[in-house]
């Protein structure tokens, strides 16, 4: 698999000058090199800043980035199988679909299995990311 930086799909979120959250993504070329997938490696928000929709805005920004590039056909991510609230969040809020289970994906977590969720970006409708300003 060939990977590349996902440029602006990877972002940091600051609230009043404090680093409150981040999303890290990479692009993975399809085997036939006809396109790429956007892999969401991690999304994290400090506990104090949760429930402010920072994670939602970070993910929305990354999905908008991916859907604006016709070379990127889908986005996918892994979620620990017992993290039902996260799985429901990705499915209900963004339209991700469960594609299977990656067994023994996590080396230091119990259970070690990850649900694989993905979303088709070729028909994804870009959405505004409210209350966000971008630094140069």
């Amino acid at each position: 698999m060939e990977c590349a930086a996902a440029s602006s799909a990877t972002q940091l979120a600051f609230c009043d000058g404090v680093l409150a959250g981040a999303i890290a993504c990479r692009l993975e070329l399809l085997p036939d090199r006809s396109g790429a997938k956007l892999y969401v490696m991690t999304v994290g928000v400090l506990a104090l800043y949760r429930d402010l929709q920072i994670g939602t805005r970070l993910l929305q920004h990354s999905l908008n980035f991916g859907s604006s590039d016709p070379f990127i056909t889908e986005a996918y991510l892994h979620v620990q199988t017992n993290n039902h609230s996260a799985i429901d969040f990705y499915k209900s809020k963004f339209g991700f679909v469960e594609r299977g289970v990656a067994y023994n994906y996590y080396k230091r977590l119990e259970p070690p299995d990850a649900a694989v969720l993905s979303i088709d970006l070729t028909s994804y409708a870009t959405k505004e990311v409210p209350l966000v300003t971008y630094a140069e």
Side-chain angles (χ1 to χ4, degrees), residues 7-115:
S7 63
S8 69
T10 294
Q11 292 287 309
L12 301 175
F14 292 88
C15 286
D16 298 322
V18 176
L19 178 59
I23 186 167
C25 303
R26 71 175 181 231
L27 293 178
E28 298 177 353
L29 285 174
L30 297 176
D32 65 2
R33 297 175 162 271
S34 64
K37 295 179 183 183
L38 180 70
Y39 177 54
V40 180
M41 296 184 293
T42 190
V43 181
V45 177
L46 291 175
L48 183 64
Y49 295 92
R50 292 188 187 141
D51 298 324
L52 298 177
Q53 297 191 349
I54 293 170
T56 298
R57 291 182 185 125
L58 286 165
L59 183 57
Q60 187 63 63
H61 171 84
S62 295
L63 295 177
N64 285 348
F65 165 83
S67 68
S68 69
D69 186 336
F71 191 70
I72 302 172
T73 58
E74 80 176 89
Y76 79 103
L77 50 82
H78 293 87
V79 179
Q80 194 173 15
T81 53
N82 67 342
N83 192 343
H84 304 290
S85 61
I87 292 169
D88 183 58
F89 167 78
Y90 290 117
K91 291 167 76 173
S92 64
K93 189 91 170 172
F94 293 97
F96 278 80
V97 175
E98 283 189 67
R99 299 290 184 201
V101 174
Y103 295 100
N104 296 309
Y105 180 78
Y106 298 107
K107 304 298 180 222
R108 297 183 184 133
L109 297 177
E110 277 300 322
D113 305 328

Side-chain angles (χ1 to χ4, degrees), residues 109-131:
L109 297 177
E110 277 300 322
D113 305 328
V116 181
L117 288 83
S118 70
I119 187 167
D120 179 0
L121 293 179
T122 61
S123 58
Y124 185 80
T126 300
K127 297 175 181 80
E128 183 180 344
V129 184
L131 304 172

